[in-house]
Amino acid sequence: MRRYIIWMMLCCVTMLQAQTYQVPKREFRAAWIQCVNGQFQGIGTQQMQQTLSYQLDELQKDGANAIIFQVRPACDALYQSSLEPWSHFLTGVQGKAPSPYWDPLQWMIDECHKRGMELHAWINPYRAKMKSAYALAANHIVSQHPERSFNYDGLTLLNPALQENRDYICTIVEDILRRYDVDGLHIDDYFYPYPVPGVEIPDAAQYNANPQGYTNKGDWRRHQVDLLIEQLNETIHRVKPWVKFGISPFGIYRNQKNDPRGSKTNGLQNYDDLYADILLWVKNGWLDYNVPQLYWEMGHKAADYTELIRWWSKYASERPLFIGEDVQRTVKAADPQNPQSHQLPAKMRLHQECKGVQGTVLWYAKVAVDNIGNYGTSLRNVYWRYPALQPLMPHLDNKAPGKVRKLKVFDVGNQQVLMWTAPKFKDWNDEATKYVVYCFKRGEKLNSDDPSHIVAITNETFYEIPTTMEQGRYVYLVTALDRLQNESKTVKKKVKL
């Protein structure tokens, strides 16, 4: 009986949330799938595919439209590469190919695209070896060029101050882009290593030998990272102009006590401790989207979530801004204004209040799929209950494709099918890659800005009208989307069922 009462209370709360929450038509809805926690290590091809398939299916039901998949954790690969060895985090032995053989990156691209999701390949640029004990393969970059790395508190990292390392990282990225149809290239918060008290980064001799005009070592280190970010951005868009470059920094840029622009926080800082000047990268347009990791709770003493989401919305929304959300912390913490509820409803209200915020990335996929605190249920029934197009990126492409052609309805057995022809195009930014189908009852206002009327976002040039539809007269609208999801004008078709 007690469980039933709790279930009924949750249903009532969900219904109330659904009535008041306005689902946006465009929103980045993603989840990180990581390998460095060892969840895939040595489990074999079949079990890993089953695990990933289940996670993708559940996230699709939740409304996700993108996956950020870790493919290069420590200068090793979860994909076929002639440049770097197979990852220790895949097979348990670096350099050992999976058996039965498969390519996890290509498989994930196919599976995500089949489900209408984008796939963003997530790499770590500098990390070369984790603290755990395992042997490096003979073709690993540190095995071949140990002089280009340094050790720090058990980690091995490529030295950010060496141009040959920046060139090497960009070569890896170019190889991925040329061989795989990824939608994005993603890096997270590991630049210079997270500081450990009493442990110095071993670069004093290099700085003293060539300070490059900098009188402050911190400025010199930031310059080295700036050079990589600028070069990565250039490499990505030279090879494939439509691939989105995303960065997910630590959630505090600077504390206000160190910078008048800083947030009212008291924690580790991107700028001072990791030597990552994310605001400069946003200002200079060296990235396409930014996902600060706001993993804290509302009311956190050192890093209050409310303070931080408002700060990032104010200072860093010149490029699309998405928020990295910790699922576990969100559902384990009570809403300070409503102790009977966890913090998901209040955080989602803040997302809508902060006009610079255009999406969410969940840390991490498995806990969302496990539905702790009914997080996944709330997504699919409330916050992500309608399909969403990707946020616009006019700095990459602001031209919509042409309209679909020859929209007609055909009877195929007992099934009515809408069919159309793709618009003509000359270049990548004119080509239609997906289509949006809207459905309205006769007499309803035809409003393609209302996502509740989206019945399909598909890469097919047809749509099978469900046989379960009530008899009556309907109006269908079909639009075309290009690679960056600029949307064409609508084409209308009346249908009688």
Side-chain angles (χ1 to χ4, degrees):
M1 183 66 179
R2 184 172 177 269
R3 288 184 179 179
Y4 176 75
I5 293 171
I6 293 173
W7 180 79
M8 286 297 294
M9 289 174 63
L10 288 170
C11 288
C12 291
V13 170
T14 300
M15 289 173 62
L16 181 62
Q17 292 169 351
Q19 290 170 3
T20 58
Y21 187 82
Q22 298 298 313
V23 181
K25 178 180 171 178
R26 290 184 179 271
E27 187 175 31
F28 191 69
R29 303 171 176 175
W32 281 290
I33 297 181
Q34 83 279 35
C35 65
V36 292
N37 64 347
Q39 66 174 323
F40 303 129
Q41 189 172 309
I43 67 173
T45 299
Q46 183 178 7
Q47 187 177 346
M48 184 171 172
Q49 288 180 353
Q50 288 174 347
T51 299
L52 289 169
S53 291
Y54 175 70
Q55 290 187 4
L56 294 179
D57 286 343
E58 292 303 300
L59 288 166
Q60 182 185 24
K61 294 173 188 174
D62 288 343
N65 60 17
I67 296 295
I68 300 174
F69 181 56
Q70 190 171 31
V71 301
R72 183 185 183 262
C75 296
D76 53 5
L78 273 79
Y79 60 93
Q80 175 62 52
S81 173
S82 61
L83 303 175
E84 294 189 313
W86 283 102
S87 179
H88 157 75
F89 294 101
L90 180 62
T91 63
V93 178
Q94 192 175 81
K96 180 182 177 181
S99 179
Y101 177 84
W102 70 307
D103 184 323
L105 175 55
Q106 185 59 59
W107 187 90
M108 281 292 285
I109 291 169
D110 293 340
E111 293 298 311
C112 286
H113 287 177
K114 183 169 69 178
R115 293 169 173 83
M117 299 174 177
E118 291 191 344
L119 189 284
H120 293 223
W122 166 18
I123 72 166
N124 187 286
Y126 300 119
R127 186 170 58 211
K129 188 176 186 297
M130 305 287 283
K131 291 183 181 182
S132 54
Y134 60 92
L136 295 179
N139 64 330
H140 189 274
I141 184 64
V142 172
S143 299
Q144 296 181 331
H145 295 285
E147 74 284 358
R148 286 165 50 179
S149 67
F150 61 70
N151 295 320
Y152 184 85
D153 190 44
L155 292 171
T156 304
L157 301 104
L158 298 183
N159 189 338
L162 297 179
Q163 182 59 47
E164 52 262 52
N165 283 339
R166 292 191 283 272
D167 292 341
Y168 175 72
I169 292 163
C170 289
T171 296
I172 298 299
V173 167
E174 181 165 349
D175 176 61
I176 292 172
L177 296 182
R178 291 199 182 280
R179 295 192 298 118
Y180 295 94
D181 185 22
V182 297
D183 302 287
L185 194 288
H186 185 89
I187 65 176
D188 55 3
D189 54 322
Y190 295 99
F191 301 102
Y192 274 87
Y194 274 73
V196 176
V199 182
E200 294 293 326
I201 297 173
D203 60 359
Q206 186 179 10
Y207 169 68
N208 292 331
N210 184 18
Q212 298 173 298
Y214 289 93
T215 58
N216 177 285
K217 191 188 292 184
D219 291 337
W220 176 79
R221 287 174 179 162
R222 275 183 288 276
H223 177 64
Q224 311 312 315
V225 181
D226 292 344
L227 289 173
L228 174 69
I229 300 303
E230 183 178 20
Q231 188 174 347
L232 268 176
N233 180 64
E234 186 280 327
T235 299
I236 291 165
H237 295 123
R238 171 176 51 79
V239 177
K240 285 185 176 175
W242 58 85
V243 170
K244 305 166 188 177
F245 179 28
I247 300 178
S248 178
F250 182 74
I252 299 173
Y253 174 70
R254 297 193 85 186
N255 299 311
Q256 198 172 79
K257 64 183 180 182
N258 296 325
D259 185 338
R261 290 185 307 171
S263 52
K264 295 176 183 177
T265 50
N266 184 27
L268 183 137
Q269 304 162 102
N270 274 291
Y271 185 91
D272 303 82
D273 301 310
L274 303 178
Y275 307 99
D277 192 353
I278 186 74
L279 290 194
L280 177 70
W281 308 341
V282 170
K283 178 182 177 182
N284 289 350
W286 292 344
L287 52 76
D288 299 312
Y289 67 86
N290 172 27
V291 192
Q293 297 170 19
L294 304 192
Y295 290 169
W296 302 279
E297 308 86 41
M298 301 169 70
H300 191 284
K301 291 182 179 179
D304 175 51
Y305 180 93
T306 303
E307 163 71 13
L308 284 166
I309 192 173
R310 288 173 175 165
W311 187 92
W312 284 99
S313 181
K314 179 178 179 180
Y315 288 100
S317 56
E318 295 172 69
R319 282 287 191 263
L321 173 66
F322 315 138
I323 303 300
E325 295 281 359
D326 187 300
V327 174
Q328 285 181 305
R329 290 191 192 183
T330 297
V331 299
K332 286 182 178 180
D335 179 350
Q337 304 301 318
N338 180 14
Q340 302 304 313
S341 170
H342 59 54
Q343 293 193 353
L344 177 60
K347 284 187 173 184
M348 295 307 286
R349 285 196 298 271
L350 278 171
H351 276 234
Q352 296 214 312
E353 290 174 16
C354 296
K355 300 305 180 185
V357 174
Q358 300 183 56
T360 305
V361 184
L362 306 178
W363 179 255
Y364 48 98
K366 183 181 183 302
V367 287
V369 167
D370 287 347
N371 198 28
I372 62 171
N374 288 290
Y375 197 103
T377 300
S378 295
L379 291 180
R380 69 180 66 182
N381 292 337
V382 182
Y383 305 108
W384 293 357
R385 67 186 185 271
Y386 304 133
L389 280 60
Q390 297 292 345
L392 291 170
M393 296 204 173
H395 61 280
L396 294 178
D397 174 29
N398 62 1
K399 182 183 177 183
K403 297 188 294 185
V404 303
R405 299 176 295 146
K406 302 177 183 178
L407 175 61
K408 296 180 181 179
V409 62
F410 294 91
D411 289 316
V412 182
N414 295 323
Q415 179 87 55
Q416 287 191 291
V417 181
L418 284 172
M419 294 185 180
W420 58 88
T421 301
K424 296 179 180 180
F425 70 97
K426 293 182 179 180
D427 204 349
W428 70 267
N429 56 350
D430 301 316
E431 183 182 7
T433 59
K434 284 186 172 67
Y435 304 91
V436 187
V437 181
Y438 304 83
C439 179
F440 300 84
K441 292 182 179 178
R442 185 180 184 183
E444 282 187 303
K445 182 180 178 182
L446 303 182
N447 179 13
S448 61
D449 291 327
D450 183 350
S452 69
H453 289 278
I454 296 175
V455 293
I457 301 175
T458 176
N459 56 10
E460 305 288 355
T461 55
F462 63 87
Y463 170 72
E464 295 180 357
I465 298 173
T467 54
T468 54
M469 291 277 288
E470 291 183 12
Q471 290 187 350
R473 296 180 183 272
Y474 294 86
V475 178
Y476 282 86
L477 304 180
V478 180
T479 62
L481 303 175
D482 62 20
R483 280 189 175 270
L484 287 160
Q485 301 217 339
N486 295 295
E487 188 174 20
S488 75
K489 294 180 180 179
T490 61
V491 177
K492 180 173 65 174
K493 188 65 181 179
K494 295 179 180 179
V495 176
K496 181 181 179 182
L497 299 180

